[in-house]
Structure formats: structure tokens, C-alpha cells
């Protein structure tokens, strides 16, 4: 594997480690790793600022030193800690790694790194429909702050330990873990999704010994995989059920894999789901039911009713006029151009459809009583294999702008993001500039602008590099 250094943000844990034999007069605030447990010890005679610090390190959701000093430990208990010992002012809490199974559903943090590899390259996972973590001991988990904590128990004789993965461009220089009593620990910012990683212990690469999910990266290497969850499927009621399972098209309707957990009066299952449409149902003691809280249902080819979950960007397709049309359908590369798959509803002014699509760039057309037409209200279009289609970006994250050239007939953008399709994506003239918004995944992109029949690099971008035609391409990094 070729390792490259990139820009990123690591939140490195600063541990307050004290000897267990320290005199009572000294601070005895400590967080350490003991086999399959995390141990938190606090000294009630410590200053409030010091207590706040150790509670933050332990991952307790709120700064509650004031409550703790008054003997109120409810917030610590809510975060999964149990009191195991108390001697005068010294209190010890325990959190088992064997039963730890929470991953708070906070707004995902986007890691700010530059990854020059696109999906599917060795060490950089391709998109997956879903993912669940499987640990012998849960040594990687989310904190209520949104950070993700990595713990490597043992290896206490090692001099240096690093965390390296797809999220930090497989850096061998950064990601230094902090040594604690009983192991090593670090917190990082991760976005929701699938992440490959390894530990480097005194220069030796190793997978996570507690992680049961491994992947061959396509280059002869085996990496550990961690899924940062973004969704919780819930089923209320059924208090007497022995076993509740959720199954869907995302896991090929496996009716044994995703066993739900009972929390109060609700059955839950946390997992990572990618953007898109997902069909699913529950099995309660083996009996199939749909989601009672979800009104969106769909029959499969066998006539079986399933619930439907849409994750992604909300998009409204609207076609004004055509009031005398009998049927209007929508087709695009998002449904493999199936002509009779997605129908629009009739309104007073025309036809409309509200739907959800994964983040991305799409081409589409309307089909009015069998006639294919582009969207007359959309100034953006793409030409693929000589066919002109309307163009839309869902959840765009980058805007291209070219000022001037008011007399140009057409301005288009072309690059590695559309495989250098000759006609590219046509930009729209608004105000004093030509513009277009695109959704681009993290990575490096090469592109050029075409003004009528003349190709130029982007005058608003100072980054460019030579190409095989003895000219230049503009360079864009998306973090």
C-alpha cells in the first residue's frame, strides 16, 4: 500500500494519568483500560476545573462537575457508567466494553482532509448500502460530543502507537495515540460512513484484534472496518416479544442478522445506511410486519408489503402546463432510464413529484404521453452520446463560476468527475457569470472549461497542472 500524507484534523486525547498508589492529598483522577472494561476514578476533593477535564476525557456528555461535587452522579450513569467502589472521597466507575453498544446519533462531523483517491481504490472503501459493527470488545465507539474513540487495550510495553486509516490518508506520521494505564487511546472526527483502519505498533502494522469486520482492500492487505452510524430503526411496542429482527433490501433480506435491542418500550437497531431508497420489514417472533410509524409502503414482486425509507436530498420535479396529458413520467440515470417507473401527480398548473435522491449529479427527462422531453424550466443540461438531457445536482457541495464571456453561446465544464464526456455539463448564464453547482466526493479532480469551441483552464483557479496534450488542466481538491 502506498501511504500518502494529507491534511486533517485529529483531536488527540490528553489523559490525566495518576498512579493508583498516589497519596490521597494528591489528585487521583484517572481513566484507564482494564482488560474488557474502562475504569474512571474521580477524587471529590479535586478542583472543579480538574473534575470537568477528566469527565470530558471519559466522554461524559455534559460538564457536570458541580453536580458530582454535590453527590449527584445521574448524568454519569446515563452515559453507561456504574459505580463499583467508593472510599471516602474516591469514587470508581466501570464501563464494560463487552456490552457497550451505543453510538450516539449526533450530526456527523466532516473530517477535513484531502484524499486524492476516489472510491474503491485500495485502502479507500467503495460505497456500501449499509453497515453494522461487530466487536468482540467494543473498543471503537462514538462519544456524545460527536467524536469517535479508538481504544487499543494492551501493548503497554510499546514505545509508540499510531492510528492510521482511510480517514487520515493512511498517514504514518500523524494519529499518535496517547498511552493510558492498560493501553492506548485517541479521539478523532469522522463523517458517517465506512472507514478502513489499522494500528501501527512500534512500526508494525496490525488490524484491530477486537474488530470482527475485516476487508481485503484489493492490494493484498487486510484492514479493519468501522461504520460510523447515521440512522436508528425503531419499532415501538411488543413488550412481550422474545426476538425482533429488521431485514431489508440493504442486507438482502437476511432474517437472522440484524437483531434489535429493547430499550424501554422501543426496539432499536443502529446502523449505517447510505443515501437512497430502502425497503424493509420487521419480524416479531418470526411474524412479518411493516413499520407502523412509516406510512410509505410498497409491494414487492411477490405481493408482499414492505415499508420504504428514503434517505438523501429532497427534490421536487415540476412540469408546468400539459394539462391535457394523460400520464407524465420521470426517467433518469437514477432509475436506469426506466420509462414507466416514476409517475408525476397532476396539479392545477401542471405536474409535480416530490422525491428523495442520494447526493449526486443526475440527468433526466420527462415522458409526456410517451414523448420524451427535457425540463423546459431547467437551464442546465448535459449531452451524453449525442442525447441532450436536463441536469440536476442533489446536495451540491461545489460551485463553479466563470465571469465575463457574455457573448458566448454555450459554456460547459468537463473533467474527471464526468469521465471527460466531450460535451460536458452546460453552465447557465446568470448575472455577469456562467455558473453550475455539482456534488463532488472527496478527492482530486481535473477539469477544463469550454467556451463555444475553445478550451481554457479556469481563470478563477490558481491550481493547474500539465496534461498529455501539452496543455494544462485546472485542479480541484474537495475535502
Amino acid at each position: 500500500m502506498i501511504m500518502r500524507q494529507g491534511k486533517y484534523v485529529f483531536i488527540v486525547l490528553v489523559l490525566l494519568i495518576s498512579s493508583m498508589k498516589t497519596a490521597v492529598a494528591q489528585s487521583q483522577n484517572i481513566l484507564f483500560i482494564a482488560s474488557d472494561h474502562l475504569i474512571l476514578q474521580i477524587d471529590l476533593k479535586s478542583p472543579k476545573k480538574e473534575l470537568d477535564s477528566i469527565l470530558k476525557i471519559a466522554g461524559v456528555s455534559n460538564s457536570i462537575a458541580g453536580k458530582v461535587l454535590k453527590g449527584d452522579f445521574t448524568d454519569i450513569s446515563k452515559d453507561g457508567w456504574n459505580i463499583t467502589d467508593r472510599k471516602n472521597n474516591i469514587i470508581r466507575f466501570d464501563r464494560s466494553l463487552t456490552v457497550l453498544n451505543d453510538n450516539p446519533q449526533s450530526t456527523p462531523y466532516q473530517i477535513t482532509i484531502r484524499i486524492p483517491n476516489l472510491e474503491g481504490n485500495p485502502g479507500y472503501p467503495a460505497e456500501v448500502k449499509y453497515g453494522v459493527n461487530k466487536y468482540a470488545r467494543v473498543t471503537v465507539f462514538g462519544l456524545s460530543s460527536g467524536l469517535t474513540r479508538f481504544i487499543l487495550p494492551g501493548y503497554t510495553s510499546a514505545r509508540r502507537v499510531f492510528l492510521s486509516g482511510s480517514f487520515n490518508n493512511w498517514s504514518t506520521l500523524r494519529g499518535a495515540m496517547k498511552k493510558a494505564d492498560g493501553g492506548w487511546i485517541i479521539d478523532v472526527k469522522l463523517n458517517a460512513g465506512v472507514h478502513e483502519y489499522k494500528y501501527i505498533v512500534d512500526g508494525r502494522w496490525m488490524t484491530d484484534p477486537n474488530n470482527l469486520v475485516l476487508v481485503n482492500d484489493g492490494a493484498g492487505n487486510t484492514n479493519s472496518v468501522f461504520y460510523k452510524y447515521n440512522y436508528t430503526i425503531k419499532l415501538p411496542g411488543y413488550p412481550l416479544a422474545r426476538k425482533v429482527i429488521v431485514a431489508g433490501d440493504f442486507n438482502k433480506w437476511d432474517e437472522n442478522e440484524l437483531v434489535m435491542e429493547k430499550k424501554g418500550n422501543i426496539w432499536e437497531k443502529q446502523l449505517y445506511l447510505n443515501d437512497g431508497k430502502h425497503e424493509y420489514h420487521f419480524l416479531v417472533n418470526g411474524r412479518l410486519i411493516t413499520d407502523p410509524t412509516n406510512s410509505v409502503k410498497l409491494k414487492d414482486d411477490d405481493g408482499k408489503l414492505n415499508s420504504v425509507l428514503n434517505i438523501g436530498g429532497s427534490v421536487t420535479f415540476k412540469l408546468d402546463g400539459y394539462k391535457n396529458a394523460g400520464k407524465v413520467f420521470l426517467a433518469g440515470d437514477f432509475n436506469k432510464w426506466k420509462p414507466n417507473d416514476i409517475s408525476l401527480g397532476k396539479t392545477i398548473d401542471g405536474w409535480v413529484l416530490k422525491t428523495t435522491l442520494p447526493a449526486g449529479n443526475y440527468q433526466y427527462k420527462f415522458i409526456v404521453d410517451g414523448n420524451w422531453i427535457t425540463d423546459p424550466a431547467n437551464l442546465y443540461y448535459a449531452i451524453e452520446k449525442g442525447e441532450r438531457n436536463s441536469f440536476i445536482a442533489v446536495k451540491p457541495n461545489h460551485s463553479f463560476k466563470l465571469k465575463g464571456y457574455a457573448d458566448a453561446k454555450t459554456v460547459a465544464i468537463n473533467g474527471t468527475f464526468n469521465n471527460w464526456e466531450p460535451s460536458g455539463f452546460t453552465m447557465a448564464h446568470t448575472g455577469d457569470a456562467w455558473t453550475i453547482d455539482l456534488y463532488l466526493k472527496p478527492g482530486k479532480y481535473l477539469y477544463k472549461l469550454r467556451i463555444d469551441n475553445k478550451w481554457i483552464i479556469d481563470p478563477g483557479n490558481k491550481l493547474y497542472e500539465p496534461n498529455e496534450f501539452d496543455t494544462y488542466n485546472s485542479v480541484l481538491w474537495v475535502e
Side-chain angles (χ1 to χ4, degrees):
M1 181 186 295
I2 298 175
M3 302 302 170
R4 302 179 182 175
Q5 184 176 351
K7 288 177 61 181
Y8 55 93
V9 174
F10 262 107
I11 304 298
V12 180
L13 221 54
V14 179
L15 293 174
L16 302 174
I17 306 299
S18 302
S19 170
M20 296 301 296
K21 297 181 180 179
T22 303
V24 175
Q26 297 176 341
S27 171
Q28 296 196 52
N29 296 312
I30 185 172
L31 174 70
F32 63 95
I33 304 160
S35 182
D36 56 356
H37 292 259
L38 283 179
I39 306 297
L40 168 64
Q41 179 176 289
I42 61 174
D43 183 352
L44 294 181
K45 290 187 177 180
S46 301
K48 181 177 179 295
K49 185 177 181 180
E50 189 172 318
L51 276 179
D52 276 332
S53 179
I54 191 64
L55 290 172
K56 182 177 180 180
I57 290 170
V60 177
S61 57
N62 300 305
S63 180
I64 55 169
K67 286 186 178 181
V68 171
L69 290 172
K70 295 178 181 178
D72 185 349
F73 309 126
T74 54
D75 288 333
I76 299 179
S77 298
K78 287 179 181 178
D79 273 3
W81 297 89
N82 299 307
I83 296 180
T84 58
D85 190 30
R86 179 168 185 172
K87 293 181 180 179
N88 299 321
N89 57 294
I90 305 298
I91 304 176
R92 183 175 290 191
F93 299 86
D94 175 285
R95 191 175 192 181
S96 173
L97 295 176
T98 57
V99 298
L100 182 64
N101 197 33
D102 62 330
N103 196 335
Q105 303 302 299
S106 56
T107 302
Y109 285 73
Q110 182 70 39
I111 192 165
T112 55
I113 62 173
R114 290 183 174 180
I115 301 177
N117 305 67
L118 300 182
E119 66 178 40
N121 285 346
Y124 295 86
E127 287 190 1
V128 296
K129 285 189 174 182
Y130 85 109
V132 289
N133 296 309
K134 298 176 182 178
Y135 283 86
R137 289 185 289 174
V138 184
T139 49
V140 183
F141 53 91
L143 300 174
S144 54
S145 63
L147 300 176
T148 298
R149 173 159 294 174
F150 288 78
I151 299 174
L152 178 63
Y155 301 91
T156 53
S157 60
R159 297 185 303 275
R160 303 182 74 183
V161 176
F162 292 86
L163 170 67
S164 184
S166 55
F167 43 80
N168 71 344
N169 209 12
W170 293 101
S171 173
T172 59
L173 301 176
R174 302 292 180 91
M177 302 181 74
K178 284 292 181 179
K179 192 173 185 179
D181 284 356
W184 301 78
I185 190 166
I186 192 173
D187 289 350
V188 299
K189 288 183 178 180
L190 293 180
N191 59 312
V194 53
H195 305 278
E196 296 183 22
Y197 70 98
K198 278 185 172 179
Y199 295 113
I200 311 173
V201 181
D202 286 343
R204 181 173 64 88
W205 290 78
M206 58 175 282
T207 55
D208 187 337
N210 290 295
N211 192 340
L212 305 180
V213 182
L214 301 173
V215 65
N216 187 323
D217 73 351
N221 303 297
T222 301
N223 299 325
S224 299
V225 177
F226 172 72
Y227 296 100
K228 176 75 173 181
Y229 295 153
N230 66 337
Y231 201 82
T232 301
I233 295 178
K234 298 182 179 182
L235 175 64
Y238 301 94
L240 302 179
R242 299 183 306 275
K243 192 175 185 180
V244 178
I245 293 173
V246 60
D249 55 4
F250 44 82
N251 75 332
K252 299 180 180 179
W253 301 102
D254 188 330
E255 297 185 349
N256 296 298
E257 181 189 19
L258 302 178
V259 180
M260 303 181 73
E261 301 170 35
K262 189 177 180 182
K263 295 185 177 180
N265 194 38
I266 297 177
W267 295 85
E268 297 184 355
K269 185 62 182 179
Q270 292 181 311
L271 69 166
Y272 167 74
L273 285 175
N274 72 340
D275 283 0
K277 184 179 78 171
H278 303 283
E279 296 182 35
Y280 68 101
H281 58 236
F282 301 109
L283 286 101
V284 180
N285 294 339
R287 182 171 64 91
L288 189 151
I289 66 168
T290 56
D291 188 343
T293 65
N294 185 352
S295 61
V296 184
K297 318 285 185 184
L298 186 67
K299 286 186 177 180
D300 60 17
D301 295 337
D302 298 325
K304 187 185 300 180
L305 195 64
N306 296 310
S307 297
V308 179
L309 176 66
N310 289 298
I311 301 177
S314 178
V315 185
T316 300
F317 292 93
K318 187 177 181 181
L319 178 63
D320 291 333
Y322 297 92
K323 297 180 180 180
N324 296 324
K327 292 183 179 180
V328 175
F329 290 92
L330 172 72
D333 47 13
F334 41 77
N335 76 329
K336 299 181 180 180
W337 295 99
K338 294 179 182 179
N340 302 310
D341 187 38
I342 306 174
S343 61
L344 278 73
K346 197 168 187 178
T347 67
I348 297 177
D349 300 322
W351 302 81
V352 68
L353 169 70
K354 293 184 179 180
T355 188
T356 302
L357 290 176
N361 305 309
Y362 300 101
Q363 300 180 42
Y364 70 97
K365 278 184 174 178
F366 295 118
I367 308 170
V368 182
D369 289 339
N371 297 314
W372 295 68
I373 65 170
T374 56
D375 186 343
N378 190 348
L379 298 176
Y380 300 97
Y381 63 90
I383 298 178
E384 186 172 352
K385 297 179 181 180
E387 187 75 18
R388 176 168 170 164
N389 303 312
S390 297
F391 173 85
I392 188 172
V394 178
K395 289 187 176 181
N397 58 354
H398 188 80
S399 296
F400 293 90
K401 179 180 289 187
L402 175 67
K403 291 188 176 182
Y405 299 95
D407 296 331
K409 295 181 179 179
T410 60
V411 175
I413 187 168
N414 192 313
T416 53
F417 41 73
N418 67 343
N419 297 316
W420 292 102
E421 177 67 29
S423 298
F425 298 143
T426 300
M427 304 173 73
H429 192 248
T430 55
D432 63 345
W434 297 83
T435 63
I436 191 170
D437 295 335
L438 297 180
Y439 170 77
L440 300 175
K441 296 175 181 177
K444 176 186 177 183
Y445 296 91
L446 304 176
Y447 71 98
K448 296 189 87 165
L449 301 171
R450 179 172 55 82
I451 304 171
D452 294 330
N453 293 317
K454 180 182 178 182
W455 290 92
I456 66 168
I457 59 174
D458 187 348
N461 184 355
K462 295 181 180 180
L463 296 178
Y464 59 89
E465 64 180 41
N467 57 33
E468 66 271 27
F469 303 109
D470 293 326
T471 59
Y472 296 91
N473 295 325
S474 294
V475 178
L476 173 67
W477 285 96
V478 176
E479 297 184 351

